[in-house]
Amino acid sequence: MSTTTAEQAQARYTWGGDEFLFIEVDEAMSLAANFRVMAIAKHLTDDLPEGISDVCPANASLLIRFDPETIAPADLEAHVRGVEQQVADDHETTLQTRIIEIPVWYDDPYTNEVGARFRKNHQDPGATDLDFAAAENGLADKAAFIAEHHKLPWLVTMVGFVAGLPFMYRIAPQSEQLEVPKYLSPRTDTPKLTVGHGGCFACIYSVRGAGGYQMFGVAAAPIYDPQQRLGDFDDFMVFFKPGDIVKFRPVDEEEYRRIEQQVEDGTFRYRQVPVEFDLEKVLADPHGYDETIVAALEAAPADREQANGEQGGTK
């Protein structure tokens, strides 16, 4: 994790039909590559040229949709290359973001039931997803894996695939990433709010549907609210944004049910605090950075309404 944004090679540009420009920052996922993607995307969206209809950042790349009758492809490529160079010249390494606590009921009955129905799709039909993940990562048992899974924070590297689904990469050296392969073939069912894992990426399934990631538990509160009932969705129906930082917190069934009731009542608010993501500090001392931002979250009021009132986020 010693590579900085300034040291990375120039991105690769390719075209998708007449309306899409694809920019591949790196062939491999890394915190540095994702930070560079976010910086380029932010510059583009902050000063969006006429003719660009969408900028979609991903883990180590971004896709731009444009109208070739409004902006010529050559002009678009020249503009984006200029933005890429500006990001490199400015040596931007910080991002103002937030860390969010996500309550999770690990080893829950919902994902366990679905997992049992789809064992024929799995590498190890005789084990649960958590048992398999523990073995793949050299851990003693599923309890040890669960403890490792929520120990460190995760960076939201992209949002998509289905509405509001976040992909997350552990803020840790690459040698400490948790890696688990996806199912051999996808399931036709995954419980809503399943905390899943495929490769080195965690995710939260925003809605019920098909999926191939290993299933470790269920988040207790929505991350996608089309009706915008809850206060955390005042601005947008999708909760997560690229650059958000997630800290999973294990809860038991009793607390899970209590949060469910708060969601039903419309009173639930996520515990969250603003933090600065500093790429250079993360690369130099990832564990020190993790400790600092987790301490900031833990110092915030435990009461969700109080915490959000202090941030000016209540209705």
Side-chain angles (χ1 to χ4, degrees):
M1 292 183 60
S2 60
T3 302
T4 67
T5 50
E7 293 169 340
Q8 291 184 332
Q10 190 177 54
R12 183 170 67 179
Y13 289 66
T14 54
W15 300 94
D18 295 330
E19 299 181 358
F20 295 94
L21 174 60
F22 180 67
I23 301 99
E24 186 180 35
V25 165
D26 203 330
E27 293 182 356
M29 171 60 198
S30 68
L31 291 170
N34 184 252
F35 186 92
R36 189 175 169 202
V37 166
M38 288 191 290
I40 294 171
K42 184 178 187 303
H43 275 267
L44 288 171
T45 54
D46 284 350
D47 185 19
L48 199 65
E50 185 178 1
I52 295 180
S53 57
D54 198 12
V55 178
C56 183
N59 294 318
S61 62
L62 60 157
L63 184 69
I64 298 173
R65 185 172 189 177
F66 68 100
D67 179 1
E69 295 186 1
T70 303
I71 182 170
D75 293 340
L76 172 63
E77 180 175 347
H79 179 78
V80 179
R81 287 188 182 276
V83 169
E84 180 193 356
Q85 188 60 53
Q86 181 183 348
V87 168
D89 292 344
D90 291 346
H91 303 292
E92 297 180 36
T93 62
T94 61
L95 171 71
Q96 301 306 313
T97 184
R98 57 182 176 167
I99 181 169
I100 309 153
E101 181 182 87
I102 302 296
V104 177
W105 184 8
Y106 286 97
D107 199 16
D108 67 288
Y110 308 116
T111 58
N112 282 337
E113 185 277 328
V114 170
R117 282 196 278 122
F118 290 92
R119 294 329 286 170
K120 66 180 181 181
N121 301 49
H122 199 274
Q123 292 90 340
D124 189 350
T128 68
D129 290 9
L130 280 166
D131 292 329
F132 177 68
E136 284 289 298
N137 287 275
L139 297 168
D141 52 28
K142 64 183 179 182
F145 181 82
I146 290 170
E148 189 66 29
H149 189 267
H150 68 75
K151 181 174 75 173
L152 301 179
W154 300 73
L155 178 71
V156 175
T157 57
M158 62 175 285
V159 178
F161 185 69
V162 296
L165 184 152
F167 290 85
M168 294 168 279
Y169 187 79
R170 203 175 191 216
I171 302 179
Q174 288 182 318
S175 61
E176 296 180 26
Q177 296 299 323
L178 297 174
E179 296 191 39
V180 190
K182 296 188 290 185
Y183 274 46
L184 294 176
S185 59
R187 302 175 301 274
T188 56
D189 191 18
T190 306
K192 178 182 177 180
L193 295 176
T194 289
V195 175
H197 200 102
C200 62
F201 291 102
C203 80
I204 303 174
Y205 286 78
S206 53
V207 296
R208 183 177 181 179
Y213 277 21
Q214 307 289 334
M215 300 180 293
F216 299 155
V218 286
I223 60 171
Y224 173 58
D225 183 6
Q227 286 74 45
Q228 295 179 266
R229 290 180 56 251
L230 299 175
D232 287 315
F233 297 86
D234 281 350
D235 296 330
F236 194 43
M237 67 182 69
V238 171
F239 181 64
F240 285 113
K241 299 180 282 293
D244 281 344
I245 298 173
V246 168
K247 180 64 170 64
F248 294 117
R249 180 174 66 85
V251 299
D252 58 16
E253 181 176 2
E254 181 180 0
E255 184 170 2
Y256 177 86
R257 301 299 179 200
R258 185 163 62 250
I259 293 171
E260 271 193 324
Q261 187 59 54
Q262 291 174 345
V263 171
E264 181 65 25
D265 296 341
T267 59
F268 177 81
R269 302 298 299 270
Y270 279 106
R271 188 182 191 183
Q272 55 181 294
V273 296
V275 294
E276 181 178 77
F277 183 88
D278 188 317
L279 179 62
E280 298 293 349
K281 290 182 179 178
V282 172
L283 296 178
D285 182 14
H287 296 305
Y289 172 80
D290 289 344
E291 291 175 4
T292 299
I293 61 169
V294 170
L297 179 64
E298 292 175 345
D303 180 85
R304 273 63 172 177
E305 292 187 4
Q306 180 184 353
N308 282 273
E310 290 180 357
Q311 295 174 49
T314 54
K315 291 184 177 180

